[in-house]
Amino acid sequence: MRVALFVTCINDTLHPRTGRAVVTLLERLGVEVGFPAEQSCCGQPQFNTGYRHASEPLALRYARVFRDYEYVVVPSGSCAAMVRDNYPRLGEKAAAEGRGSALTEAAAEAVPKTYELTEFLVDVLKVTDVGAYYPHAVTYHPTCHGLRMLGLGDRPRTLLSHVKGLELRELAGAEECCGFGGTFAVKNPAVSAAMGADKTRHIQETGAAAVCTVDNSCLMHIGGVLSRQGSPVRPVHLAEILASTEGNVL
Amino acid sequence: MSVTDLGMPAFPAAAARSTRDTRLRANLRHATHTIRDKRARAVGELGDWAQLRAAGRAVKDRTLRHLDHYLERLEEAVTAAGGQVHWAADAAEANRIVTRLVRATGEREVVKVKSMATQEIGLNEALAEAGISAYETDLAELIVQLGKDRPSHILVPAIHRNRAEIRDIFRSEMGDWGRPAPDGLSDRPAELAEAARLHLREKFLRAKVGISGANFMVAETGTLVVVESEGNGRMCLTLPETLISVVGIEKVVPTWQDLEVFLQLLPRSSTAERMNPYTSMWTGTTDGDGPQTFHLVLLDNGRTDTLADTVGRQALRCIRCSACLNVCPVYERAGGHAYGSAYPGPIGAILTPQLRGTASELDASLPYASSLCGACYEVCPVAIDIPEVLVHLRERVVEGGKVTRGGVKTVIRPAKGHAAERAAMRAAGFAFGRPGLLRAGQRLAARTRKLHPRRLPGPGRAWTDTRDLPPVPAESFRDWWQRTRGGEQGGGRQESGQ
Ligand code: SF4
């Protein structure tokens, strides 16, 4: 099984702990992980802001970089959704504009091998108990792209429910957007902040020590609001919880 | 374009103002959350909702593909049943036609059934200019009209008002328009409804002309359909001598069988009812029963232009149920007025910039009035992929491109004000295309991390005004990988171990 980690540009630059946790976790489960250094960004920020053409070379690069791998594991719901939902759209639109089939072929290669981390664990490796230990009360925020575009369902919660020592706290209004939305956070800052304030209020009401998601971009926004409020609640990526063990709580 | 929309600030500014209005936010939060929970229960009762939704979508798409055909059939059927059909290319023409028709009756006042199409074209204002008073008879529309206000929701136009505000409006304004509010009116719903009933009854019995929209038009028989909860619509549709219905051309459905699908989809999605309390249907005129003159004004106003866009045309499937508004986290905070048109919320964010174009600052800002969370798509009973259309329209705003305006294919230029963003996207694209450069940037950021300001200047302020920035780590992931796993080529285990 040739498995590549697509760490994503945000994780690479701002949240390297998450990438390290994925490597630790997958290796603990007996998976050999490769990291092709030619990878960069999936093109989501460009695509979602309206710069479709700027995302095209990145889609082509993605397909090329991961060509030799059977699986690509992505610790980001929204980046996985970009590949799965929007790469085919890039192909269709380019074809409609009479620009050949390179993007369609790239999408056909990339889509079936791309898995968000929890999908890979539950659907491919078929594990729900990854042998993790995390002695804290945690609440889980299902991010919009993971929830609605990828349809992750209860995979993340199932994984969390098997973590020893972890107490899962229910989050009110869990399925409501946290207000990040990529460039939305700076294009409509007032609404974004109002949504963030409601989300963090619900998070604090759970009394959990940490809030966890499958997407560091949403977590960056939630964590930024919590930090500004001086809240002790820690933002933590699901991969970091799953990588924790009795000997090494991350 | 309605006259009331002119001079609206762009969405972010308008929304920033409304998010500070705590009473508005509380009113909206309470109302939208109540109705969204009820909707979920009403939809959950039907085992075949997914199939119904697919059927609704398919019927609309098929009809839109052959719209000219069905509209011609509709015109024939309406005419054969004794009605007259008028075609209006835009808002101004529709307003001229209706004004002329009312004038021909010699009347100076009309009663109105709640209608999105007449909101869209600003009919009340146009009639007022011609010296004709238009009385809204829907309870919420009455509140909006008496309050000299604008609707802020498709289904519940006065959603931004609470009971106490409504009582105050009734007390101070009703007298100027007709029967005043009873002395000592309280804010109990039953009392408020009774005051409105007495006030409106006077108008129903006096009016010789009624103006309505329609939820659906059945092509095979020329039948128009209005679904409503209060019964005021039925009064307007049956009591006057002349009935004028202004309806968007996309509201046609081919047959009664098709209608059956929507009469299930609409009430559960909008009011969370199994069936609408009042479903009124009228076909032309009938001797001695109901209005003796019937006019149908078919409104285009940007719809055929929208139909020419293969991605955006799905917005024309909309049945105005308002489910997307009630689940939208942006609508909940920004309120309906910030969208600057008759169509607020997610559907407004995609419909308005298509009907009106993206030339104004407000219209160009609407496709960005969403976090792309996808909740709207999930609830839409005709499966309009609103996030897909939003992104499609964003592309139109920042890159320009081919559009159809006024039936003519043209190429538009990008909207103003995206130069800095475009440059940033290009720079990012350049770096992402060269991972070596990306790494150099990461290392530079890591080395200077102690110097990074806590609050950013310029556009970055939009982030740091309310949120802290994540600290830049000392080592990027790719540097960690290289340090611990592999040689300069970065292949790591992949190269050595497999
Ligand atoms: S877009 Fe869909 S959910 Fe929104 S009002 Fe129209 S039909 Fe209803």
Side-chain angles (χ1 to χ4, degrees):
Chain A
M1 189 192 287
R2 284 173 67 76
V3 175
L5 167 64
F6 173 48
V7 76
T8 82
C9 59
I10 286 206
N11 287 332
D12 181 11
T13 309
L14 293 173
H15 305 279
R17 296 162 50 109
T18 298
R20 297 205 296 265
V22 177
V23 174
T24 307
L25 170 66
L26 291 180
E27 289 182 346
R28 191 171 81 217
L29 295 170
V31 177
E32 200 157 355
V33 185
F35 178 76
E38 284 297 304
Q39 62 179 276
S40 72
C41 168
C42 65
Q44 184 192 184
Q46 297 84 347
F47 183 87
N48 279 352
T49 315
Y51 299 90
R52 169 168 57 97
H53 295 100
S55 63
E56 289 178 350
L58 298 170
L60 293 171
R61 166 181 287 272
Y62 183 96
R64 190 178 71 242
V65 164
F66 296 111
R67 185 155 291 158
D68 293 337
Y69 292 90
E70 198 180 342
Y71 296 102
V72 185
V73 177
V74 192
S76 159
S78 64
C79 301
M82 172 67 196
V83 174
R84 288 240 294 265
D85 276 26
N86 293 328
Y87 281 13
R89 276 183 186 152
L90 286 177
E92 279 164 30
K93 289 202 168 190
E97 289 165 5
R99 291 189 287 118
S101 56
L103 282 159
T104 319
E105 284 157 18
E109 263 190 74
V111 170
K113 64 168 74 164
T114 299
Y115 286 82
E116 185 276 333
L117 175 66
T118 67
E119 291 176 327
F120 183 75
L121 295 172
V122 176
D123 301 356
V124 179
L125 296 185
K126 310 224 180 298
V127 286
T128 48
D129 184 345
V130 297
Y133 172 74
Y134 196 76
H136 300 290
V138 172
T139 191
Y140 172 70
H141 165 61
T143 60
C144 301
H145 286 97
L147 182 72
R148 301 196 183 88
M149 285 176 85
L150 288 180
L152 293 184
D154 52 14
R155 290 181 187 85
R157 295 171 49 95
T158 306
L159 288 160
L160 284 172
S161 70
H162 288 96
V163 174
K164 274 201 215 62
L166 185 144
E167 184 202 337
L168 191 56
R169 298 264 173 97
E170 284 308 319
L171 179 63
E175 300 195 349
E176 266 182 53
C177 178
C178 70
F180 173 60
T183 45
F184 174 76
V186 288
K187 282 182 181 286
N188 279 288
V191 179
S192 170
M195 289 161 69
D198 287 341
K199 180 58 73 182
T200 51
R201 180 166 45 78
H202 288 311
I203 289 169
Q204 310 220 46
E205 279 165 5
T206 65
V211 52
C212 136
T213 75
V214 296
D215 225 313
N216 272 327
S217 44
C218 307
L219 212 52
M220 183 172 74
H221 163 74
I222 293 172
V225 178
L226 286 169
S227 160
R228 181 62 55 89
Q229 293 166 342
S231 162
V233 181
R234 235 185 101 192
V236 44
H237 192 285
L238 180 76
E240 293 168 39
I241 292 178
L242 298 183
S244 290
T245 51
E246 303 229 18
N248 182 22
V249 177
L250 291 173
Chain B
M1 189 188 308
S2 151
V3 276
T4 50
D5 304 335
L6 297 172
M8 278 293 296
F11 183 84
R17 202 164 315 138
S18 31
T19 53
R20 286 196 294 271
D21 183 341
T22 47
R23 180 160 69 171
L24 171 75
R25 271 180 67 186
N27 290 353
L28 278 175
R29 183 178 175 78
H30 175 72
T32 56
H33 281 249
T34 308
I35 193 164
R36 79 168 70 158
D37 294 345
K38 278 169 64 185
R39 186 213 73 98
R41 278 197 299 278
V43 163
E45 280 180 359
L46 290 189
D48 62 347
W49 185 256
Q51 289 97 307
L52 265 175
R53 186 181 190 235
R57 171 197 176 138
V59 170
K60 282 278 180 182
D61 278 348
R62 176 162 47 83
T63 314
L64 288 169
R65 267 202 303 281
H66 309 287
L67 191 60
D68 47 352
H69 166 73
Y70 290 114
L71 287 172
E72 279 167 18
R73 287 202 59 182
L74 176 78
E75 180 177 28
E76 277 166 34
V78 170
T79 311
Q84 292 177 51
V85 176
H86 311 260
W87 299 82
D90 56 22
E93 188 174 8
N95 286 332
R96 270 199 307 276
I97 293 170
V98 177
T99 308
R100 178 168 51 77
L101 293 172
V102 177
R103 281 221 172 109
T105 65
E107 293 297 314
R108 307 303 299 260
E109 51 180 46
V110 300
V111 286
K112 283 189 69 203
V113 186
K114 174 182 169 336
S115 135
M116 296 307 298
T118 61
Q119 288 285 356
E120 175 188 326
I121 61 176
L123 178 65
N124 289 7
E125 293 83 354
L127 288 174
E129 264 178 48
I132 298 163
S133 306
Y135 297 118
E136 295 292 348
T137 64
D138 172 83
L139 178 56
E141 288 284 358
L142 175 72
I143 294 163
V144 167
Q145 189 175 44
L146 291 176
K148 300 181 187 65
D149 197 358
R150 286 179 301 118
S152 72
H153 188 280
I154 291 178
L155 183 78
V156 203
I159 195 168
H160 54 291
R161 300 288 199 184
N162 63 28
R163 281 190 280 150
E165 293 173 88
I166 294 167
R167 178 205 52 208
D168 294 345
I169 291 170
F170 278 11
R171 275 184 177 168
S172 66
E173 304 295 329
M174 267 183 171
D176 290 350
W177 290 79
R179 184 177 175 134
D183 288 339
L185 178 68
S186 81
D187 66 359
R188 279 184 40 232
E191 275 191 41
L192 293 174
E194 182 61 13
R197 198 189 323 270
L198 294 170
H199 181 81
L200 288 171
R201 183 70 40 126
E202 203 183 81
K203 303 240 156 51
F204 289 132
L205 293 173
R206 201 169 62 204
K208 300 275 191 294
V209 181
I211 295 182
S212 85
N215 294 94
F216 306 99
M217 308 185 283
V218 185
E220 64 177 351
T221 53
T223 302
L224 275 68
V225 184
V226 157
V227 292
E228 45 142 356
S229 304
E230 295 169 8
N232 62 301
R234 176 161 295 180
M235 306 271 267
C236 292
L237 293 165
T238 49
L239 289 173
E241 290 162 8
T242 300
L243 174 61
I244 304 169
S245 301
V246 184
V247 189
I249 53 174
E250 82 282 17
K251 297 272 170 124
V252 66
V253 296
T255 66
W256 280 73
Q257 219 164 22
D258 300 318
L259 187 63
E260 178 252 326
V261 174
F262 298 107
L263 290 185
Q264 295 186 69
L265 286 174
L266 181 55
R268 285 183 199 255
S269 301
S270 63
T271 49
E273 287 162 312
R274 294 173 178 143
M275 198 180 159
N276 283 89
Y278 295 87
T279 302
S280 302
M281 303 181 175
W282 63 105
T283 312
T285 55
T286 308
D287 280 343
D289 184 17
Q292 295 301 294
T293 311
F294 170 58
H295 297 277
L296 171 59
V297 181
L298 289 171
L299 178 70
D300 187 320
N301 205 32
R303 285 163 175 77
T304 37
D305 290 344
T306 303
L307 198 54
D309 185 302
T310 49
V311 176
R313 67 168 60 138
Q314 56 186 306
L316 297 177
R317 293 205 294 259
C318 177
I319 55 174
R320 313 279 189 261
C321 71
S322 75
C324 59
L325 278 63
N326 298 328
V327 294
C328 178
V330 177
Y331 174 86
E332 184 188 322
R333 275 86 185 181
H337 292 152
Y339 294 80
S341 93
Y343 306 107
I347 182 61
I350 61 167
L351 191 59
T352 309
Q354 295 200 83
L355 295 181
R356 301 202 294 217
T358 47
S360 81
E361 205 195 330
L362 169 68
D363 293 338
S365 73
L366 288 176
Y368 292 95
S370 166
S371 64
L372 303 181
C373 80
C376 49
Y377 177 30
E378 193 175 59
V379 297
C380 177
V382 285
I384 300 172
D385 191 340
I386 295 176
E388 180 189 23
V389 182
L390 286 166
V391 170
H392 174 72
L393 294 173
R394 289 175 183 191
E395 181 181 330
R396 182 173 298 172
V397 171
V398 297
E399 293 193 342
K402 292 189 196 127
V403 297
T404 306
R405 297 307 303 163
V408 183
K409 283 203 171 71
T410 128
V411 176
I412 55 162
R413 299 172 56 77
K416 287 195 196 74
H418 290 83
E421 181 183 276
R422 197 172 304 116
M425 288 291 173
R426 283 222 185 96
F430 192 78
F432 288 138
R434 290 161 188 75
L437 195 62
L438 182 62
R439 163 178 294 173
Q442 286 171 341
R443 286 184 179 161
L444 180 69
R447 264 205 306 279
T448 56
R449 53 206 284 259
K450 296 245 157 44
L451 307 171
H452 294 176
R454 301 251 314 144
R455 309 246 167 158
L456 294 174
R461 257 195 60 191
W463 182 278
T464 55
D465 268 353
T466 50
R467 291 157 285 215
D468 285 341
L469 284 169
V472 174
E475 185 181 48
S476 71
F477 177 81
R478 64 179 66 226
D479 276 350
W480 171 82
W481 179 272
Q482 193 187 320
R483 181 167 61 77
T484 57
R485 306 294 171 116
E488 213 18 70
Q489 294 312 305
R493 290 211 174 165
Q494 167 215 335
E495 245 123 67
S496 54
Q498 291 181 7

